[in-house]
């Protein structure tokens, strides 16, 4: 999965560079949006896959509890996706993470910490998606 993540990252960067500073709506929706969606989903999926691998090898997260580790990983994912969104003015990536966080909140309603971190980060991701789309459409932060 790491190889897929690295490969998608390289493709993503090259497509954004080739699209230029003001890609047309057609280019955004037919080329950039699908790769953004796929890259964001692989970024999000890599974190629990690494956690599952560590658990398989006997690591239990000590001294921190499972819900606390989950909240930390949610914050890590939010940091990665925020950086991606800000660097490339990509409003799709935060929506992908928001969707994943809502799934976590629904799956673990009894975990208060995870629920509040998930809900809070979902709201933040929606705000970032909105801000990137409507406040920074010129991709001023992109390479």
């Amino acid at each position: 999965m790491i190889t897929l993540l690295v490969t998608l990252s390289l493709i993503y960067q090259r497509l954004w560079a080739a699209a230029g500073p003001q890609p047309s709506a057609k280019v955004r929706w037919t080329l950039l949006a699908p790769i953004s969606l796929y890259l964001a989903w692989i970024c999000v999926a890599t974190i629990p896959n690494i956690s599952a691998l560590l658990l398989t090898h006997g690591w239990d997260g000590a001294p921190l509890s499972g819900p606390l580790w989950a909240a930390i990983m949610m914050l890590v994912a939010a940091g990665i996706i925020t950086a991606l969104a800000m660097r490339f003015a990509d409003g799709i990536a935060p929506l992908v993470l928001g969707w994943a966080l809502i799934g976590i909140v629904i799956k673990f309603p009894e975990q208060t910490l995870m629920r509040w971190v998930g809900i809070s980060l979902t709201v933040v991701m929606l705000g970032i998606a909105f801000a990137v789309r409507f406040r920074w459409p010129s991709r001023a932060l992109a390479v």
Side-chain angles (χ1 to χ4, degrees):
M1 179 160 264
I2 298 295
T3 304
L4 177 60
L5 180 62
V6 170
T7 304
L8 283 172
S9 296
L10 293 171
I11 292 169
Y12 181 83
Q13 290 174 2
R14 289 182 181 157
L15 284 175
W16 272 100
Q22 293 289 334
S24 68
K26 181 179 178 183
V27 169
R28 272 189 177 273
W29 286 107
T30 60
L31 188 62
L32 300 175
I35 195 74
S36 174
L37 183 77
Y38 191 33
L39 174 63
W41 191 252
I42 294 301
C43 283
V44 169
T46 299
I47 294 171
N49 285 345
I50 290 172
S51 296
L53 178 68
L54 291 172
L55 287 172
T56 303
H57 290 293
W59 184 73
D60 63 355
L64 303 177
S65 68
L68 182 55
W69 270 116
I72 291 168
M73 291 300 104
M74 286 181 206
L75 290 167
V76 168
I80 293 168
I81 294 297
T82 299
L84 183 73
M86 301 296 278
R87 180 147 171 24
F88 293 99
D90 182 351
I92 294 191
L95 297 177
V96 171
L97 179 57
W99 178 266
L101 292 170
I102 289 169
I104 292 169
V105 168
I106 291 170
K107 175 87 172 162
F108 300 101
E110 71 285 350
Q111 298 293 336
T112 306
L113 176 63
M114 290 170 58
R115 184 176 63 237
W116 285 110
V117 170
I119 291 169
S120 300
L121 288 176
T122 298
V123 170
V124 169
M125 290 298 111
L126 288 172
I128 289 171
F130 180 82
V132 164
R133 177 64 182 101
F134 295 108
R135 300 287 289 163
W136 300 302
S138 66
R139 293 182 50 220
L141 300 176
V143 235

